Amino acid sequence: WAADILRKCPAFDEVVVYNPRNSCACAACEKAADPLGAVRGFLQEVRAGLRKVRPDAKLGAVYNAVPSWFDAMKDAVDVPHPYLFVSEEADFAADMYAARAVLDAARQPGPALAKLPWGPDDRVTDARLEEFVKLAREKKIPYWIWTYDDAFLNATYDVPRLCRALGVPPCPVAALVPKLGGR
């Protein structure tokens, strides 16, 4: 499937696997000396498939900001994308410290994935989102916002306030929202 993505989208130079983990509970996996071996093997296969299509293609992986996990995957993953939780209860300082460690150890660090909650009952406050943006900027953690549709299109967040926090002019973004089908 990753090779198919590259064939169909030749402008892409990286395919990112989200949250790869071994959830097998068979006897062989339960007894394995290397609990991450199955995941590493899977990622190595994916990367080999990518490289058959394009020798310079890169495999990225999104996973929790756990430096030891990314270290164990360094021979399978080209570009680490540590996961950052953007929630009311998240410890931004601790999460960004771990993400910074992952990025600093990487040969080719990628941006972190900042996931906004999307449920009506778990929305993060605008002030908390501003705090996240400010701390990420201070810690020089590059990131992209996942579930941006909730941030910009579904009227979940105050678009002008979010734009100001992100350091982008709100008027052009606000003008795009209705054109993209947002409220």
Side-chain angles (χ1 to χ4, degrees):
W1 55 264
D4 288 342
I5 290 171
L6 282 184
R7 281 188 206 96
K8 292 178 182 178
C9 304
F12 289 4
D13 59 0
E14 178 184 355
V15 174
V16 179
V17 176
Y18 174 78
N19 201 20
R21 57 194 170 137
N22 183 19
S23 57
C24 181
C26 76
C29 288
E30 291 287 326
K31 293 178 184 177
D34 179 4
L36 297 175
V39 173
R40 187 180 312 100
F42 165 73
L43 292 172
Q44 287 169 332
E45 283 182 41
V46 172
R47 186 166 71 174
L50 292 174
R51 300 267 169 86
K52 285 180 182 174
V53 175
R54 274 193 35 206
D56 64 336
K58 294 179 180 45
L59 177 63
V62 171
Y63 195 77
N64 292 335
V66 178
S68 61
W69 187 89
F70 281 101
D71 185 55
M73 297 299 145
K74 68 184 172 205
D75 293 329
V77 172
D78 300 304
V79 185
H81 298 282
Y83 186 95
L84 293 170
F85 298 91
V86 184
S87 66
E88 288 300 312
E89 63 279 349
D91 183 344
F92 294 155
D95 289 350
M96 288 191 197
Y97 178 83
R100 182 80 265 154
V102 168
L103 298 175
D104 287 346
R107 291 181 300 268
Q108 184 172 2
L113 178 126
K115 183 180 176 219
L116 299 177
W118 64 84
D121 298 328
D122 59 357
R123 178 190 177 279
V124 65
T125 64
D126 290 322
R128 189 79 167 127
L129 186 52
E130 287 174 329
E131 181 184 339
F132 171 84
V133 170
K134 181 180 179 214
L135 189 58
R137 190 172 288 126
E138 286 173 6
K139 302 295 181 188
K140 296 181 174 39
I141 306 278
Y143 64 91
W144 77 82
I145 296 175
W146 189 36
T147 62
Y148 76 94
D149 47 337
D150 281 319
F152 293 103
L153 300 182
N154 295 340
T156 306
Y157 294 93
D158 180 316
V159 170
R161 188 172 180 177
L162 176 57
C163 288
R164 282 190 299 276
L166 293 169
V168 297
C171 292
V173 174
L176 280 175
V177 169
K179 290 178 182 177
L180 296 172
R183 298 187 296 263

